[in-house]
Amino acid sequence: MIGSDGQESTFINSTSTCTMVRTYPFMTRNEIESRIADGQQIVIFNQHVLKVDAWLPYHPGGEKALLHMVGKDATDEIQALHSQAAQEQMMRYRIGKIHGLWTNFRPPIQGGSFRSSFDADNMDCEELDNQGVSASSTPNSRSPSPVFDVDYKGLRRRGDDKDYTTRPASISSQSSVEPDTTGMSYLDALTREQISLDIGKYPGVDLATQHEIAAKYKDLHQAIMDQGLYECSRTAYMFECCRYIGFFAAMLICLSYGQYVLGAVCLGLAWHQLVFLAHDAGHMGITHDYQIDTAIGIFVADFVGGLSLGWWKRNHNVHHIVTNAPEHDPDIEHMPLFAVTHRLLGSLRSTYYDRVMEYDAVAKFMLKIQAWTYYPLLALGRFNLYRLSWDYLIARRGPRRGPGAWHWYLEIVGQFVFWAWFGYGVMYKMLPDGRTRFMFVMVSHVTSSPLHVQIVLSHFSMSTSDLGPQESFAQRMLRTTMDVDCPPWLDFIHGGLQFQAIHHLFPRVPRHNLRKAQKLVMEFCRDVGIPYALYGFADGNRAVIGRLAEVSRQAAILAKCQQTVARNGGVFGHHG
């Protein structure tokens, strides 16, 4: 029997019930592409074709995280970021199945183009695979650009004769590219050089190689589950709760004795530690129940810290899917204050913020000195988080329907409670004058700022290249993220999140178990030939400062190119 939705249905009768078992038709690549061209949001998950249009306004992690998966096999991303219950919920949106391996399209939000229909028989399948599209999909209509396109035909998998668990001394190196008469050609040459370096270090992004990596990643994921690393440590959280309460009690005692600076330090330390708990809750890493963990996260982030968990989840989910992509990942989009890649010197358009990140006069000035302003500006980072949180809540950017809709109301209550206890109870009632209040705010907020250094440390100096839509989830996470080495007794300072590469591979694994997973991940990296980046805290910071200084140098060379073109009477065009 064919149902009203065009899907084949079969009825099984028994003496007491009538059960409908639905089967789903196999869909061709051409049909899937046509649907995407018509505006449907199609995602591949476990060999099933999902049409997620109806889920977009309900998705607790925001619609853009889903949009970056359109036209792609998102099985690894979905399984990494979602609970089993959420995965089962997604199966409600099935409309078909696929045969064999899926060759990813570039999602429309990332610039991919699609045709409603075309004759695949007239096109060379191997050529289309080299372009990063399927044999029944459209070739990209964009003009080739080194920012987005790679000649995959020439890529080869490296040999496995290196030790991929070594700790390199630095990441950034001085570019050997010389400027030519046009500034944008210089940036494109840098992009080609960066891609070439990544091609030499990582396995090829052909479909067969990446499918093999994805298959071994699934085995790794199974090993993680078999060892019980998804189980939360109650003992670890008991000690952490004692630490939180201790810091808050110390703050109150200090304030009662007039030790305002020391009290501010204690509050800053409490906020620093509590962020790790909110992070766990946001990833459902505590109870693995969406509603319970979200409520815990809102209590910690909004009620105690004055920051929006909803904003963080919307931002952070996109970061976990398109890590270190300059035009897509909000965690590295800090223009005009910082640029961690030369590509931001070309005024890229952010798909997250839906605006052009202008390389204007302010950016040109700030980027000259970014290696010097890096730590001072990060020290003030919490103030920017307030701004982003209020923007999210006032504009109601979160889901207005579905299981996450009520969280907005709880967050609003949380914001009022925070400013009641902190703004009125502490700042107004317990501090004597305006000067002391200003000092207390600054000291407490700066004390919590090492958190920002810890988080960006794992990404700012890593690859920002786009190796195309066929790159597997596991390789992309390991290519764009590094871990920070430290002795176990210092784990509480880093919150356990110094293992960012492992966390990106398995976001829902409780952070107390990330160190236990390290050996398994290192073995996986050796097996598939992907370098595992492990740095000491000092070396990692040197690498970040080196990257910032390198981009500043590239900006200076670009400025000279612009001056040369201007002197020669040429026109320096805008490049986006």
Side-chain angles (χ1 to χ4, degrees), residues 197-228:
L197 289 172
D198 280 348
I199 289 171
K201 290 170 58 180
Y202 294 92
V205 289
D206 57 279
L207 186 61
T209 300
Q210 293 302 310
H211 175 70
E212 179 185 357
I213 292 173
K216 291 183 177 180
Y217 169 71
K218 293 184 191 300
D219 294 338
L220 172 63
H221 197 176
Q222 186 61 50
I224 294 288
M225 291 188 289
D226 291 344
Q227 292 196 14

Side-chain angles (χ1 to χ4, degrees), residues 318-330:
V318 173
H319 163 69
H320 267 270
I321 290 173
V322 286
T323 309
N324 263 27
E327 60 273 66
H328 309 304
D329 181 1

